[in-house]
Amino acid sequence: MWAYIIRRVLATIPVMAFVALFVFSLLYLAPGDPAAVIAGDQATPDDVERIRASLGLDRPYLVRFSEWVFRILQGDLGTSIFTNLPVGHMIAQRIEPTLSLMIVTLCLALSIAIPMGVVAAWKQGTWIDRAVMGFAVLGFSVPVFVVGYLLAYVFALELDWFPVQGYTPFAQGFFPWIENLVLPAVALGGVYIALIARITRATMLEVLQQDYIRTARAKGAGQSSILFLHALKNAAVPIVTVVGIGIALLIGGAVVTESVFAIPGLGRLTVDAILRRDYPVIQGVVLLFSFVYVLVNLGIDLLYTFLDPRIRY
Amino acid sequence: MRRRSMMMAAMAGPALAQGSAARTLRVIPQANLTSLDPVWTTAVVTRNHGMMVYDNITTVNLAGEVRPQMAEGWEISAEGRQWDFTLRPGLKFHDNEPVRAADCVASIRRWAARDSFGQVLWTAVDELSVLDDRRFRFRLKRPFPFLALAMGRSQGPVPVLPERLAATDPFQQVRDATGSGPFRFVANEWNPGSRAVWAKFDGYVPRQEPVDGLAGGRAARIDRVEWSVIPDPATAANAMQTGEQDYWEYPLHDLLPLIRRNRQVVVEQRLSSGFYGCLRFNHLHAPFNNVAIRRAVAMAVDQRDYLRAVAGEDPAGWGVCEGVFTCDTAMANDEGSEVLKTRNIEAARAALRAAGYNNERVVLVAPGDYPQINALSLVTADLLRRLGMNVEVISADWGTLVQRRTSREPVERGGWSVIHTTAGGDALDTPPVHLFLRSNGRDAWFGWPEDALIEQLRAEWLEAAEPAQARRIAGALNRRAMETLPYVPLGYYWQPSVWRRNVTNVFRSPATVFWGIGKS
């Protein structure tokens, strides 16, 4: 097992190297010029040229790439072209809101979606099953920003139960923290709930047909015991896989959700950096997201061994 | 008070909650504050930050007249070649060091290397020297009557930094926002893209005169100004309605009718000048290297179509301005502007045919993420198509557009034919600051028009001794601009601001500033 973990961790190095090369090259080739953005709308072409030179953006690709890689190897993600702040510092400022949003969304989604899927499978063909699947279709179909605006209108503007926007750090108390996250988490969680509920239902339906479930029923096991102890445990591997894949959905969805609810997270940092062509920030955030994604996949793979003892690496 | 606000106030303790809220102004700025150096970037949001943090030697009042700010006053020698400035006593930087003439001199040098009016001024400066801690002197090669105005212009006044910071290369960003203005920047609360905070500077000594535009006493009446960047306009509108924010600098015009329904908010025009639209041709390549084709397009332009697209149907929200200088200012005139008053698509079609338009491809780049400029672009695209031109509209984000417009290549090799932008009225009110008018070829603003007469008139204006002479030259400039059309003026729209009713003493000003404003 440890050898496997070490192998997988080492395998992240070429993956990250490829991501680094890809991101750097893509940004190099993409249109846009931070010098022109910095100079402002009233600047002359000469101003733009001088700013470009002062930022070193007029140097050859290989020189810039090798300098960047050299800094990355030293653990330095560089400095934002615009703010002059270290990229590491800017990312650190934004991690907590995004992490909080993802954790709350994940908890909300799992606590709603799994019971929904289980109940839908148990009550297959009934109105409950149809209602759950109808909700799943809705969850997939309605974009996050539409749900976000609707929630904000009803629960913030009309009912005044939650704030419209913003984020309060956890250090300032649980209530202010969670208050700012409820609406964004519900908005972001819709797709995720739909996805997990559908997979849970499909997998449970398959498992509930198995002989050992019939045996459990014949032995007189209770319904909840059959559903949650015998069936759900055996249906867990595909569900966990989908949860892992869904984290990529969450990262993507967080960009929109953070914009709608003005949460100062990594998603907004990425969008702002892309719009301004703040290359060091884009590169730093994309590297971080790739690293997180590789780690999540590793975690999921390891989780399989606990959920299904037959799986060995 | 709304339910949730009441609950939160009760949890925080009534006196504490009300007190801190009343002393803090929560603002939604027009853009994200990404850089702190108003010399390094001309971004409006950085200029507004600069207004809070950095004091200015001179400034302008609501009428656009120059007034002393840090300066107690200045003396001009009889022949106009020597200006001696004296600073007010008691001025201090945020690190409590006194403001000295040497700080002003270093700051002026740095500013003059980047600011457009500063560069013009610098061509007339023979020497800038420190006389003592409170006095400094300009010695000029030739009289420059606009010296005090150049340093205090609302668009880009001289930000006075400590000498140690002002020594920074003007093309490098100053990292330390120490100034001597009425507010100090709270660097450790800055989260770019989300939040920026300023605190009242207790050591600031305001002038005694009442506030008048940017002039008069810059006394802070609130303890803190907190900017929260809310990128989505609908969310910002909601935050204003629920009272989560107190002031919204640039609300989207589309949302104004909704916001006006809420009796707790005020929607008013605070900025003293509107925003002027500009249709810019690329003068280097066909078809717009042909002045007759540029004129044909101008004949079809009806500014009202553009302004409705940007600011809505209500004519109170915009104004037609068929000259190159900011309307209702000293230089405003419409001499020779008949071409813009044609507003006739049939006549324009005939003129286009006569001009020899040969179906050359016209590439119009529109910024999809910039609602106002995008609207101007789409109106032009429609206009050019109705004229029968071969138009390709490229929708890009602003970051792509500002790079593409630097390209001098023809459209087949990634160039462009038409772009649009907007500028505040204070950027177009006099010839030296008017970038769109410059016609010095490769050194001109993007589009690179070339016309020796415009450049000559601009130089003559700078040496005009009398206001009447300056106005005459401005008339000649307008006439010539309408002949060569370096750009097509598209009129102006007002950009109102929104604030909660408990925000008090909001005054009209050429820039969004927060001194003088209180909160009950």
Side-chain angles (χ1 to χ4, degrees):
Chain A
M1 170 70 93
W2 282 109
Y4 173 76
I5 294 173
I6 291 167
R7 265 203 320 276
R8 283 293 302 267
V9 170
L10 289 176
T12 61
I13 295 172
V15 172
M16 298 302 295
F18 178 76
V19 168
L21 178 69
F22 182 73
V23 169
F24 193 93
S25 306
L26 200 65
L27 289 176
Y28 185 82
L29 295 171
D33 181 3
V37 178
I38 288 165
D41 200 29
Q42 309 296 312
T44 62
D46 185 48
D47 286 339
V48 176
E49 281 304 321
R50 291 187 67 174
I51 292 174
R52 189 178 293 128
S54 75
L55 294 171
L57 297 171
D58 54 349
R59 290 174 305 157
Y61 168 85
L62 281 177
V63 174
R64 285 165 57 190
F65 181 66
S66 53
E67 278 180 7
W68 181 64
V69 169
F70 186 68
R71 275 205 314 270
I72 295 284
L73 291 175
Q74 293 173 311
D76 176 9
L77 291 173
T79 304
S80 160
I81 290 173
F82 286 80
T83 64
N84 237 333
L85 295 171
V87 173
H89 171 78
M90 292 177 75
I91 289 176
Q93 278 184 320
R94 302 300 190 97
I95 276 186
E96 189 197 309
T98 300
L99 209 58
S100 298
L101 178 60
M102 290 177 75
I103 288 170
V104 174
T105 306
L106 208 58
C107 293
L108 188 80
L110 292 178
S111 57
I112 293 173
I114 291 177
M116 271 172 73
V118 169
V119 170
W122 174 37
K123 300 285 184 188
Q124 188 195 7
T126 66
W127 68 269
I128 296 176
D129 183 24
R130 286 192 200 100
V132 169
M133 288 305 100
F135 173 83
V137 171
L138 211 64
F140 275 125
S141 318
V142 185
V144 171
F145 68 89
V146 173
V147 180
Y149 286 134
L150 278 174
L151 290 173
Y153 177 74
V154 175
F155 295 101
L157 211 55
E158 290 298 318
L159 297 173
D160 192 27
W161 289 357
F162 299 101
V164 168
Q165 51 82 41
Y167 174 77
T168 308
F170 188 74
Q172 291 182 24
F174 176 79
F175 183 74
W177 174 78
I178 195 73
E179 183 192 47
N180 275 111
L181 289 171
V182 171
L183 296 185
V186 173
L188 179 57
V191 182
Y192 209 48
I193 291 170
L195 179 71
I196 298 171
R198 281 190 77 98
I199 282 292
T200 305
R201 176 184 176 273
T203 318
M204 285 290 288
L205 282 176
E206 197 181 319
V207 171
L208 288 172
Q209 308 299 322
Q210 300 295 317
D211 290 344
Y212 57 85
I213 297 293
R214 198 177 304 120
T215 307
R217 284 209 175 97
K219 284 168 68 180
Q223 192 61 45
S224 57
S225 162
I226 289 170
L227 285 175
F228 290 97
L229 288 181
H230 297 278
L232 185 60
K233 194 178 174 190
N234 284 289
V237 170
I239 296 171
V240 167
T241 307
V242 167
V243 169
I245 294 167
I247 287 177
L249 277 182
L250 279 187
I251 291 173
V255 174
V256 179
T257 313
E258 286 175 5
S259 293
V260 170
F261 290 97
I263 295 171
L266 286 170
R268 265 183 59 199
L269 180 68
T270 315
V271 173
D272 290 345
I274 290 169
L275 290 175
R276 288 194 310 265
R277 310 296 192 270
D278 198 343
Y279 298 141
V281 176
I282 303 170
Q283 288 154 354
V285 175
V286 173
L287 270 187
L288 176 78
F289 280 148
S290 333
F291 185 63
V292 167
Y293 202 63
V294 169
L295 281 190
V296 166
N297 274 309
L298 175 61
I300 299 285
D301 284 352
L302 295 179
L303 206 56
Y304 289 161
T305 62
F306 294 101
L307 294 170
D308 187 346
R310 292 170 299 181
I311 298 173
R312 282 285 172 266
Y313 296 114
Chain B
M1 189 182 274
R2 290 164 61 85
R3 285 187 296 271
R4 204 182 59 80
S5 320
M6 207 152 54
M7 188 173 69
M8 293 301 285
M11 284 175 65
L16 182 69
Q18 193 177 351
S20 66
R23 292 192 299 270
T24 300
L25 188 71
R26 298 162 303 176
V27 176
I28 306 169
Q30 51 101 356
N32 173 16
L33 179 70
T34 52
S35 54
L36 304 177
D37 184 347
V39 167
W40 188 66
T41 176
T42 59
V44 171
V45 69
T46 303
R47 187 271 313 262
N48 291 351
H49 149 80
M51 288 284 182
M52 283 198 273
V53 170
Y54 302 109
D55 212 350
N56 309 123
I57 298 161
T58 58
T59 192
V60 287
N61 65 10
L62 195 56
E65 299 156 338
V66 68
R67 292 283 181 268
Q69 184 47 237
M70 294 170 82
E72 200 170 60
W74 55 86
E75 287 176 7
I76 310 169
S77 66
E79 75 283 13
R81 292 191 179 188
Q82 185 170 297
W83 293 56
D84 290 348
F85 284 83
T86 305
L87 297 176
R88 284 190 289 134
L91 299 175
K92 280 193 294 187
F93 284 112
H94 300 152
D95 57 7
N96 286 321
E97 290 294 318
V99 177
R100 300 162 306 132
D103 301 308
C104 296
V105 166
S107 300
I108 293 167
R109 286 183 196 283
R110 184 166 188 270
W111 162 85
R114 293 295 304 276
D115 183 81
S116 56
F117 211 160
Q119 288 167 2
V120 175
L121 162 65
W122 213 245
T123 61
V125 174
D126 191 22
E127 189 187 23
L128 173 60
S129 57
V130 174
L131 298 178
D132 57 40
D133 271 0
R134 284 184 55 205
R135 294 187 309 141
F136 60 92
R137 168 176 294 166
F138 278 95
R139 211 174 63 228
L140 304 177
K141 296 173 194 161
R142 58 177 187 275
F144 195 89
F146 307 102
L147 191 152
L149 176 66
M151 292 201 298
R153 225 160 35 86
S154 56
Q155 200 200 6
V158 177
V160 174
L161 288 74
E163 189 181 11
R164 64 186 165 86
L165 298 175
T168 309
D169 176 351
F171 285 88
Q172 297 288 334
Q173 188 176 182
V174 170
R175 293 162 187 251
D176 177 346
T178 299
S180 64
F183 293 94
R184 60 183 174 78
F185 185 63
V186 185
N188 62 355
E189 292 193 44
W190 184 34
N191 185 345
S194 169
R195 178 182 156 88
V197 177
W198 294 261
K200 179 182 178 179
F201 175 44
D202 292 325
Y204 184 73
V205 183
R207 299 187 72 87
Q208 294 308 303
E209 302 95 320
V211 170
D212 178 10
L214 297 174
R218 294 181 172 184
R221 300 198 192 287
I222 37 179
D223 288 349
R224 279 164 69 91
V225 178
E226 291 180 2
W227 284 8
S228 296
V229 180
I230 302 182
D232 183 74
T235 306
N238 288 344
M240 285 303 300
Q241 294 192 75
T242 58
E244 288 173 37
Q245 297 293 326
D246 302 315
Y247 189 102
W248 186 9
E249 193 182 355
Y250 284 10
L252 198 66
H253 284 83
D254 292 352
L255 294 169
L256 291 178
L258 173 81
I259 300 167
R260 282 200 175 99
R261 274 188 241 145
N262 188 320
R263 279 181 294 181
Q264 293 307 311
V265 297
V266 177
V267 181
E268 252 180 49
Q269 181 58 35
R270 189 181 175 208
L271 296 175
S272 53
S273 70
F275 285 84
Y276 286 71
C278 160
L279 185 166
R280 184 69 161 190
F281 302 112
N282 187 340
H283 292 241
L284 297 183
H285 302 289
F288 296 120
N289 56 356
N290 179 345
V291 65
I293 292 181
R294 296 199 298 272
R295 287 180 61 83
V297 173
M299 287 166 74
V301 164
D302 184 339
Q303 292 187 347
R304 291 166 299 185
D305 294 338
Y306 286 87
L307 298 165
R308 283 191 195 105
V310 173
E313 290 293 326
D314 184 0
W318 43 264
V320 167
C321 185
E322 286 157 337
V324 293
F325 295 109
T326 307
C327 274
D328 302 320
T329 60
M331 298 303 128
N333 70 87
D334 61 355
E335 280 186 34
S337 291
E338 290 74 22
V339 67
L340 274 183
K341 295 176 181 176
T342 313
R343 301 174 197 147
N344 186 322
I345 197 96
E346 291 305 327
R349 274 195 200 116
L352 191 64
R353 277 194 300 275
Y357 174 61
N358 198 24
N359 205 38
E360 292 97 341
R361 189 154 66 106
V362 170
V363 171
L364 185 153
V365 191
D369 57 341
Y370 209 134
Q372 289 86 358
I373 299 179
N374 195 47
L376 297 176
S377 308
L378 297 181
V379 174
T380 297
D382 177 59
L383 187 79
L384 298 180
R385 284 190 182 121
R386 284 193 289 140
L387 278 175
M389 298 188 91
N390 173 15
V391 183
E392 181 188 351
V393 177
I394 294 181
S395 187
D397 68 329
W398 183 245
T400 302
L401 188 151
V402 293
Q403 186 205 26
R404 184 157 183 165
R405 75 182 181 187
T406 63
S407 170
R408 292 187 169 98
E409 297 290 333
V411 292
E412 296 77 26
R413 291 207 295 271
W416 56 276
S417 313
V418 181
I419 54 167
H420 296 75
T421 192
T422 58
D426 51 358
L428 309 174
D429 56 1
T430 50
V433 299
H434 201 312
L435 278 177
F436 307 146
L437 196 56
R438 288 303 305 265
S439 297
N440 48 342
R442 292 183 70 81
D443 293 328
W445 197 72
F446 313 98
W448 308 281
E450 188 160 10
D451 183 57
L453 183 55
I454 285 186
E455 288 300 298
Q456 184 194 323
L457 288 168
R458 179 177 177 271
E460 283 174 17
W461 188 92
L462 282 165
E463 292 180 8
E466 298 297 325
Q469 189 189 358
R471 279 196 294 276
R472 264 198 313 278
I473 298 170
L477 267 169
N478 195 77
R479 180 174 293 281
R480 183 62 181 165
M482 289 299 150
E483 285 165 8
T484 63
L485 286 165
Y487 79 106
V488 179
L490 300 176
Y492 66 90
Y493 63 90
W494 294 109
Q495 174 59 67
S497 298
V498 175
W499 55 89
R500 299 283 297 179
R501 223 163 258 290
N502 61 341
V503 176
T504 57
N505 300 324
V506 181
F507 56 94
R508 283 199 81 157
S509 166
T512 302
V513 292
F514 297 103
W515 57 74
I517 293 180
K519 195 176 159 191
S520 58

